Structures are given as C-alpha cells and as structure tokens.
Amino acid sequence: MAFEPSLSTSTMRPPLSSAAAPSMADSLPSINFGFDELRDRIAKFTVKFDSFIEKGRKRVLEERNHFCMNIAESHEDQRMKQKAIEILTLKSNTHAQTLQKEAQETSEMHAAIAAVTTQRDTRAVHRDRLRQQIADTQKLIAQRLEAQQKHAAQLDAQAQFNAPELHFWQEYLCLSIEGAGTADRLKFVYTHVDDRNWQHEAWFELGTERREYEVITCRPKLEARKVEMVVEKLNESRDLAVFLKEMRELFVAVMK
C-alpha cells in the first residue's frame, strides 16, 4: 500500500472517547519505501562501478607500463644512436686526419717531384753544355793536331835546308844556337865580335812563344831602340838570316 500524503490527519486520529479504540501506531498505514529494490540496484551499480574502476585501473596500469617500456626503449635507442654518433664522429675525425696526412704527403711528393725535375733539367743542360764543350775541344784538338802535322811536315821539308844553312851561319857569322833552358826561347851565341879577343862571346835570347818575336835579354847590353828596330824588321819580313846578321853588327859596334 502506497503512502498518500493527501489523506487528512484527522481521519487518522481515533476518537478520544472510545476506550476500546486501537493504538495510534496500529492505526498508522503500512508504507513501502522500496528499500530492497534500491539496495539491490545500489549493489548492482556498485558491482558495475567497481568493475569499471578495476578495468580502468588495469588499463591505466597497462598504459603506464607500455609508456614506461616505450620510454625505456626510447632511452635505449637514444643511447645507441648517441653511441653510433660518437663512433661516426671518431671515424669522421680519423678520416679527416687521414685525408690531411695524405694531402700533406701528396704536397711533399709533388715538391720532391718538382725538385727532381729541376735537378734533371739542370743536369740535362749541364750535360748538353759538357757535350758541346767536348765537341769543341775535340774539334780544337783536331785542328791543332792538323796544324802540328802540317808544321811537322814543314819542319821535315825545311830540315834538309837547315843543316847547310846552320853550317853557313856557324862559319860565316861565327854563330851557335843553344837552348835557353825554357820552352819557346832560343839562345844565339856569337864569337869573333871583339877584335881584341876572338873568344869573347856575345849572345841574346829570342822569344818565340808568340807570333811576334822579341829579344828577351842580351849580353853585352845593346841600345834598346836599335834592338827594337831590328826585331820589327824581323817580324815584318820573317827573314831570320838578315836579323842575325844585323844583331852581330850591333854586338861588333858595341865592343869597339
């Protein structure tokens, strides 16, 4: 039976005068509030709510564990990548050092090649110069040898006339020819130039080193200007017989 609030409280009040009337509590209506149904519904709700909370807690825990695993994996990946970066950096530095060393070695090698090339070129120029000098020297030697051979031939041809001519000079001019002790110099010695002493000698040394003859020294002393004139005539005419005769005349004149 449901509770009706619209019922008048006067109808619930028993008559005061009746002795056998029931008690007020007995006269109250029976009210059903539905507590059992409410309790059952609350219990079901509580079960559902607890199940929801438990599932949510498990889901959150799983998500947290998964998140922690992802973080750990991320950290591990970051560590591995950092290590890989360090290895690559080390390799890059080593490679850069190797390239720098190779560049330096290449530069040194190029410098060495340039130095060797310069030395080779210098030696080639020096070799060519030596070859040219050798060729010029050989040519000069050949020319001198040819000239010596011609001169020897002339001497051989002249030799047949020298002996009679020398004999003539010795007899006619009282002259003898000697070596002066050095190359390219002859000593001409006269006798019979002093009327007081026929054995008294007069001599001079004639230098033949150059093409132009010259009197180096003489005994006794002669006047330099006269000797120069006689030598100039000899160099112009190349007539040695006339020169020897004139030198004898100079000695005879100075000894008078």
Side-chain angles (χ1 to χ4, degrees):
M1 179 178 177
F3 176 73
E4 296 292 340
S6 62
L7 293 178
S8 175
T9 56
S10 60
T11 58
M12 299 174 59
R13 188 176 300 163
L16 298 176
S17 60
S18 177
S23 65
M24 184 178 296
D26 294 335
S27 62
L28 290 175
S30 178
I31 300 174
N32 186 6
F33 288 100
F35 287 114
D36 294 333
E37 182 182 358
L38 180 60
R39 186 179 300 109
D40 184 57
R41 290 175 63 188
I42 289 174
K44 291 180 180 180
F45 175 76
T46 301
V47 171
K48 290 181 180 181
F49 184 73
D50 291 341
S51 176
F52 174 76
I53 293 299
E54 182 66 21
K55 290 180 181 180
R57 189 169 63 84
K58 288 182 179 181
R59 186 173 65 253
V60 170
L61 183 61
E62 290 176 355
E63 291 178 355
R64 179 175 175 275
N65 293 334
H66 185 68
F67 177 75
C68 291
M69 291 178 62
N70 289 338
I71 292 297
E73 291 177 356
S74 297
H75 287 168
E76 183 66 18
D77 290 341
Q78 184 178 3
R79 188 182 67 81
M80 295 298 293
K81 289 179 180 178
Q82 185 66 30
K83 187 175 182 180
I85 290 173
E86 292 176 356
I87 294 173
L88 290 176
T89 302
L90 180 60
K91 289 183 178 180
S92 177
N93 294 334
T94 304
H95 183 64
Q97 293 176 358
T98 303
L99 291 178
Q100 184 179 3
K101 184 177 180 181
E102 290 179 353
Q104 183 178 359
E105 291 177 352
T106 302
S107 178
E108 292 176 353
M109 187 176 297
H110 287 166
I113 292 173
V116 171
T117 302
T118 303
Q119 286 183 351
R120 182 200 62 188
D121 296 340
T122 303
R123 291 179 178 177
V125 172
H126 184 63
R127 178 199 61 198
D128 295 339
R129 188 183 300 115
L130 288 177
R131 286 179 176 176
Q132 184 62 38
Q133 290 178 355
I134 291 172
D136 294 340
T137 303
Q138 290 176 343
K139 183 178 179 181
L140 181 60
I141 291 173
Q143 291 175 353
R144 290 187 177 181
L145 182 61
E146 183 180 359
Q148 288 178 355
Q149 290 175 350
K150 289 181 178 179
H151 183 64
Q154 291 176 357
L155 291 178
D156 291 340
Q158 185 67 26
Q160 57 182 339
F161 304 105
N162 287 342
E165 186 174 359
L166 181 60
H167 180 71
F168 170 78
W169 287 349
Q170 289 174 347
E171 293 294 329
Y172 178 72
L173 298 177
C174 298
L175 170 70
S176 63
I177 302 175
E178 301 175 359
T182 58
D184 300 324
R185 187 180 295 186
L186 293 175
K187 183 177 181 180
F188 296 86
V189 182
Y190 295 98
T191 59
H192 297 77
V193 292
D194 187 356
D195 293 337
R196 294 165 301 201
N197 185 2
W198 294 112
Q199 301 302 320
H200 189 191
E201 294 182 349
W203 57 268
F204 71 91
E205 291 182 0
L206 183 67
T208 60
E209 180 179 1
R210 294 187 295 270
R211 188 179 185 281
E212 300 293 328
Y213 296 112
E214 63 176 336
V215 174
I216 306 299
T217 183
C218 61
R219 291 290 184 277
K221 278 284 189 178
L222 299 175
E223 187 177 347
R225 179 57 186 162
K226 292 181 178 181
V227 174
E228 290 177 359
M229 292 176 60
V230 173
V231 173
E232 287 178 1
K233 289 174 61 177
L234 170 64
N235 289 327
E236 290 176 359
S237 64
R238 316 303 289 183
D239 191 342
L240 186 60
V242 175
F243 168 73
L244 294 175
K245 180 180 179 182
E246 290 180 351
M247 286 296 295
R248 178 180 176 81
E249 292 176 353
L250 291 178
F251 281 122
V252 169
V254 81
M255 285 188 176
K256 284 183 178 182

